[in-house]
């Protein structure tokens, strides 16, 4: 069988190429939180993945240049929150450098293991960090799920083409 396709013009690998390709890949949106030395920290992540069912484990990427990295590098526990389409502003707040992520506009409480847990999310988990794997300018964090709640309301928030949106019906 012979197939022909228009492959377009191949570009050499670069950060811009990777970003351009992954803008076309819709991803679920999560916020990862932790308790830092100076208080709670958190960031928006689109790299969340299920790793194992037995034991229940997940992974996510975190930039070593991000403001949350020092706390994530040291903490034993993290919170992982799946955001709903009604939480685009929350996702943007946790993605923005210099934002007051746990200020008056963010509803949260101390959860298991002292991890900050966001209110109003469709689902959340508290996890024990088991590994931090170097990966370029990021670390892949692997964590075992200890507790969680999948009973919140809302349709999932996704990131696609450089913006947050809901899923079409």
């Amino acid at each position: 069988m012979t197939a022909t396709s228009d492959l377009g013009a191949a570009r050499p690998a670069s950060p811009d190429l990777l970003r351009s390709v992954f803008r076309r890949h819709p991803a679920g949106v999560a916020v990862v939180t932790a308790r830092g030395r100076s208080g709670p920290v958190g960031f928006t992540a689109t790299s969340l993945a299920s790793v194992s069912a037995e034991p229940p484990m997940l992974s996510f990427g975190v930039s070593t240049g991000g403001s949350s990295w020092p706390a994530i590098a040291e903490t034993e526990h993290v919170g992982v929150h799946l955001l709903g389409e009604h939480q685009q502003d929350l996702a943007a707040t946790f993605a923005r450098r210099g934002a007051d992520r746990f200020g008056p506009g963010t509803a949260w409480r101390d959860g298991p293991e002292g991890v900050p847990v966001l209110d109003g999310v469709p689902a959340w988990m508290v996890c024990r960090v088991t590994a931090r794997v170097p990966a370029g300018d990021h670390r892949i964090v692997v964590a075992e799920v200890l507790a969680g709640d999948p009973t919140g309301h809302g349709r999932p928030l996704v990131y696609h083409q450089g913006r947050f949106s809901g899923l079409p019906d």
Side-chain angles (χ1 to χ4, degrees):
M1 170 190 237
T2 303
T4 60
S5 67
D6 180 11
L7 295 179
R11 295 173 18 196
S14 69
D16 285 340
L17 174 65
L18 187 68
R19 287 185 199 101
S20 294
V21 168
F22 272 90
R23 278 188 195 103
R24 295 175 175 266
H25 176 69
V29 180
V31 167
V32 176
T33 61
R35 176 70 56 193
R37 291 182 187 202
S38 306
V41 301
F43 64 95
T44 299
T46 57
S47 59
L48 183 65
S50 171
V51 171
S52 168
E54 284 294 330
M57 299 180 84
L58 56 80
S59 70
F60 58 86
V62 57
S63 170
T64 56
S67 61
S68 297
W69 170 243
I72 301 295
E74 294 180 352
T75 193
E76 292 183 32
H77 299 94
V78 295
V80 177
H81 309 80
L82 305 184
L83 300 191
E85 67 183 353
H86 63 287
Q87 296 176 305
Q88 292 182 29
D89 290 343
L90 185 65
T93 296
F94 276 84
R96 192 170 38 252
R97 286 192 177 273
D100 185 4
R101 296 173 180 161
F102 289 90
T106 303
W108 64 282
R109 65 191 182 290
D110 285 328
E113 305 296 338
V115 171
V117 173
L118 302 176
D119 293 336
V121 296
W124 60 267
M125 297 168 281
V126 169
C127 309
R128 181 179 56 82
V129 175
T130 61
R132 295 171 187 87
V133 181
D137 61 357
H138 278 60
R139 294 295 181 270
I140 305 303
V141 177
V142 180
E144 182 177 359
V145 178
L146 301 178
D149 182 357
T151 63
H153 299 286
R155 294 171 47 87
L157 181 63
V158 296
Y159 188 73
H160 182 244
Q161 294 290 22
R163 64 186 180 89
F164 299 114
S165 63
L167 292 175
D169 286 332

